[in-house]
């Protein structure tokens, strides 16, 4: 894949650099037991790309819970961080990260909370390959709003059209487009330059994310 025209590579984290969905689902399952609400893996997939606090708000509305979304999200985060394995590094994006480390600027643009994102990156040996980390802790408007990727580009010292985004969810693809950035879809360890055909045929609501 020719990335010569870009000076910055911006990677989503969950499902793009690391396959974290199994660990996230296990953390949500244990959280559901703790708070006594149903665990619906298929429905959780449909919330992919959103921060845990937004997912918790959706659960509160769906199940009529009386808890604060911040409390549910923090419980889930604590359970997640305590798990032994947060998922495997995804080869196709990792190889690009290593290949271009010395010639291009690199950033993470994720819906994870900062503590979670840094923990994953450090545990997988990825943190030293990244120049900038932007998380849900750093923005007010989450994906599909462009804020995450625009802030990443700003911190890299680059214009949006100098960057390309790597994403695995429709929310992320929309966020990249809203930021005025080209996007490459990560699906089943393959890379696809995003256009309407790719979105319609390779992205669905069941893609992984935190």
């Amino acid at each position: 894949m020719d990335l010569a025209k870009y000076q910055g590579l911006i990677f989503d984290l969950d499902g793009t650099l690391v396959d974290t969905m199994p660990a996230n689902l296990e953390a949500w399952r244990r959280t559901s037991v703790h708070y006594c609400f149903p665990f619906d893996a298929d429905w959780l997939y449909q919330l992919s790309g959103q921060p845990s606090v937004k997912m918790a708000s959706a659960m509160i509305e769906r199940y009529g819970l009386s808890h604060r979304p911040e409390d549910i999200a923090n419980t889930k985060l604590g359970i997640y961080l305590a798990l032994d394995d947060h998922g495997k590094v995804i080869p196709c994006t990792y190889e690009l990260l290593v290949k271009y480390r010395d010639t291009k600027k690199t950033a993470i643009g994720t819906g994870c909370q900062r503590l979670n994102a840094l923990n994953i990156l450090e545990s997988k040996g990825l943190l030293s390959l990244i120049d900038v980390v932007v998380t849900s802790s750093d923005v007010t408007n989450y994906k599909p709003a462009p804020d995450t990727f625009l802030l990443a580009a700003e911190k890299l010292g680059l214009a949006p059209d100098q960057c390309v985004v790597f994403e695995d969810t429709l929310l992320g693809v929309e966020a990249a487009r809203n930021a005025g950035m080209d996007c490459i879809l990560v699906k089943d360890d393959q890379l696809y330059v995003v256009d309407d055909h790719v979105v319609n045929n390779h992205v669905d609501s069941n893609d992984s994310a935190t």
Side-chain angles (χ1 to χ4, degrees), residues 92 141 144 150 174 184 196:
C92 67
N141 301 309
L150 290 176
E174 290 178 353
I184 294 172
D196 289 338

Side-chain angles (χ1 to χ4, degrees), residues 3 9 11 16-17 89-101 126 129 166 189 191:
L3 302 177
L9 311 181
F11 296 87
T16 298
L17 271 178
V89 172
I90 296 172
C92 67
T93 45
Y94 175 73
E95 289 167 6
L96 285 179
L97 191 59
V98 172
K99 178 179 179 179
Y100 290 105
R101 180 66 186 103
L126 299 173
L129 301 174
F166 294 82
D189 197 29
L191 301 174

Side-chain angles (χ1 to χ4, degrees), residues 1-7 9 100 104 162:
M1 180 166 286
D2 185 10
L3 302 177
K5 70 176 182 177
Y6 305 110
Q7 296 183 38
L9 311 181
Y100 290 105
K104 298 185 186 295
Q162 295 176 301

Side-chain angles (χ1 to χ4, degrees), residues 45-57:
Y45 271 119
Q46 295 176 22
L47 303 180
S48 21
Q50 300 183 36
S52 293
V53 69
K54 287 196 69 175
M55 297 175 72
S57 294

